[in-house]
Amino acid sequence: MIDAYLRELAVQLDVPARRRARILAEVRDHLLESAERHGEEGAIESFGPPAELARDFHLQLASASARRSSALTALALGGSLLLLALIGSGPMGDHAPWTSAGLYGLVSFFAAQVALVAGAIGMARWARYRHEPLFPAQRLEDTQRANAVALGCIQAIVVSQGVGVVIHAGSVGDSGWTIALTVTTAALAVVTLAGMAGLVRALARSRPVAVTDPERDDALADLLAATRLRVSLPEWIDMRAHPWRFCLLFAAACGIAAAAGHALLDGGFDAVTWSSVARMLLAGLAIATIEGAAVALAFAGLGRFLRIRA
Amino acid sequence: MRSEALKGHLDGLLLAVVAEEPAHGYEILERLRDRSGGAFALPEGTVYPALHRLEGAGLLKSSWAPGATRRRRVYALTSKGKRALGQRRKEWRSFAGAVEAVLAEARA
């Protein structure tokens, strides 16, 4: 009976071979010891069904993988922000690839924002469950989706900035800065690839986890739990009740921030003259509209995938 | 005690039992049962994922040790595990004290 139980458990366990061998050896030892006191049938009954034990192990491995994947994603996100800051502060200044209107600059600009939001969603989930022994099974897939979007965008930044640096570095003349930039870009590429490998592993670990418990909260609750600590949104822009209203307000705020940032880069209020006001307002309106439209499009395209809207 | 209520405290209970003396899985369960006077009864298999998780978190370490008839996987507390156990004891005393105060008030 014990051998049959162990054969059934071996079939149910979808874990690495070495881990499986250890689990089976420990379970065999336990059942033999228990059988000496209670008989084989009693030992197996007290131990519990193999499917439940396998599920517990699957969830444990999936939780650990999800946490590692989130940590790597956070590291890659920090590295990408460092890379963009390094480029912006370097000799290229305003002509840095990410501030230019070239394709690689636009890719970096929007990819960085999407990566920041997706990364924040992943980190909010990590923060909410960091003190619990296991990640809730219902939230594993949501977390990995957020990490996948963040890592994909960071990889787009790495590639676009890498192309930009290769094209423009020759005109800079500061070899020390060029070397620092090349090393940082390469390091970020390695971290991002490691993050993607970790994510693939996390997805494989969560595949055998069956979600059998009822939904604890919806996916949005994780994000709101993280922000509710400091921000209490009024009901009329509640994300759950009015997602599009919230999105449009958020998009407008991003647009205004982008326009203001651009104005500051252009010299701020010192550069304002009566003749330039109209031009600046038009430029600001154009930037705000483009940024706001991009935010709304991203919400439409990714909102359901990231489980931040129904 | 209902197994769902026990699951939330299982980690601390396992650390406390192992702190006594290193032990293998069956012995850990026996100590848990004896020290609780039989109150803690959960499917025996549930202890192994918890032991593996505590080991992964660095709170326990384990190794194969020869037994009388077969070799066993023996778990011992690490120094990080000792600190975690101390923290859990403090948290439990605080929680139990608060619950007792409320229930005592309700009875009065």
Side-chain angles (χ1 to χ4, degrees):
Chain A
M1 283 185 77
I2 288 177
D3 288 338
Y5 183 95
L6 291 171
R7 276 195 299 273
E8 175 63 25
L9 182 59
V11 165
Q12 299 271 356
L13 276 173
D14 188 358
V15 299
R18 205 166 157 190
R19 177 71 70 108
R20 185 189 299 116
R22 177 184 153 181
I23 292 168
L24 291 172
E26 285 191 81
V27 170
R28 183 174 178 275
D29 172 47
H30 183 111
L31 289 173
L32 287 173
E33 180 117 18
S34 179
E36 285 169 11
R37 294 165 175 72
H38 310 292
E40 286 197 11
E41 202 171 323
I44 286 168
E45 197 181 322
S46 305
F47 200 76
E52 277 186 25
L53 179 63
R55 181 178 180 267
D56 285 347
F57 272 113
H58 294 156
L59 186 55
Q60 184 218 316
L61 285 179
S63 294
S65 289
R67 288 196 163 117
R68 273 195 298 273
S69 169
S70 293
L72 278 169
T73 303
L75 189 65
L77 193 60
S80 66
L81 295 175
L82 179 69
L83 174 66
L84 293 173
L86 186 65
I87 290 171
S89 65
M92 288 192 200
D94 283 347
H95 302 290
W98 69 278
T99 63
S100 78
L103 180 62
Y104 43 78
L106 283 173
V107 166
S108 291
F109 184 63
F110 289 115
Q113 293 178 72
V114 176
L116 206 58
V117 170
I121 288 169
M123 282 197 288
R125 294 209 169 101
W126 171 85
R128 191 174 185 202
Y129 300 113
R130 69 187 184 282
H131 293 307
E132 296 197 20
L134 294 171
F135 227 83
Q138 307 93 335
R139 292 281 85 84
L140 282 172
E141 188 184 336
D142 299 338
T143 306
Q144 283 144 14
R145 284 181 179 197
N147 289 341
V149 170
L151 286 170
C153 289
I154 293 167
Q155 197 64 278
I157 293 170
V158 167
V159 168
S160 67
Q161 291 304 317
V163 167
V165 166
V166 164
I167 291 172
H168 291 275
S171 61
V172 170
D174 182 341
S175 60
W177 180 82
T178 307
I179 290 168
L181 192 62
T182 306
V183 168
T184 307
T185 307
L188 182 59
V190 167
V191 170
T192 311
L193 285 171
M196 283 176 159
L199 181 64
V200 167
R201 189 174 168 163
L203 285 167
R205 290 282 168 268
S206 66
R207 191 173 37 82
V209 175
V211 179
T212 55
D213 297 331
E215 182 86 36
R216 287 160 55 136
D217 282 313
D218 60 16
L220 207 49
D222 296 336
L223 312 178
L224 296 177
T227 57
R228 209 177 281 147
L229 294 172
R230 304 214 188 278
V231 175
S232 180
L233 291 174
E235 196 274 336
W236 63 276
I237 53 165
D238 181 77
M239 269 184 87
R240 198 182 274 108
H242 308 289
W244 282 106
R245 200 180 289 176
F246 178 88
C247 166
L248 290 172
L249 273 169
F250 185 74
C254 289
I256 292 167
H262 194 269
L264 281 171
L265 281 173
D266 267 352
F269 287 109
D270 292 339
V272 174
T273 61
W274 283 113
S275 61
S276 68
V277 164
R279 197 175 66 245
M280 285 182 67
L281 281 175
L282 275 172
L285 189 62
I287 291 166
T289 305
I290 292 169
E291 172 70 15
V295 169
L297 269 170
F299 187 76
L302 293 172
R304 198 165 278 168
F305 182 73
L306 293 174
R307 299 278 303 273
I308 55 175
R309 70 178 179 91
Chain B
M1 187 184 212
R2 282 178 291 178
S3 59
E4 277 308 311
L6 181 56
K7 272 185 185 171
H9 306 288
L10 186 58
D11 287 2
L13 294 170
L14 291 175
L15 291 175
V17 162
V18 175
E20 227 176 279
E21 193 183 345
H24 56 83
Y26 190 82
E27 197 178 342
I28 290 170
L29 269 164
E30 291 266 273
R31 281 192 210 160
L32 196 59
R33 209 175 286 139
D34 292 343
R35 282 172 67 170
S36 69
F40 295 159
L42 62 161
E44 293 176 2
T46 55
V47 80
Y48 287 96
L51 287 172
H52 283 222
R53 180 166 39 73
L54 290 170
E55 187 178 8
L59 305 182
L60 292 178
K61 59 186 177 194
S62 73
S63 57
W64 289 108
T69 49
R70 53 187 169 266
R71 63 177 197 158
R72 278 145 181 191
R73 192 84 186 185
V74 173
Y75 293 86
L77 208 61
T78 61
S79 45
K80 186 178 175 188
K82 276 192 196 103
R83 288 194 297 276
L85 177 58
Q87 181 61 29
R88 282 176 198 267
R89 280 180 170 142
K90 205 188 297 183
E91 284 167 6
W92 173 255
R93 277 194 288 270
S94 170
F95 175 72
V99 169
E100 179 57 35
V102 170
L103 291 179
E105 190 64 36
R107 276 200 299 271

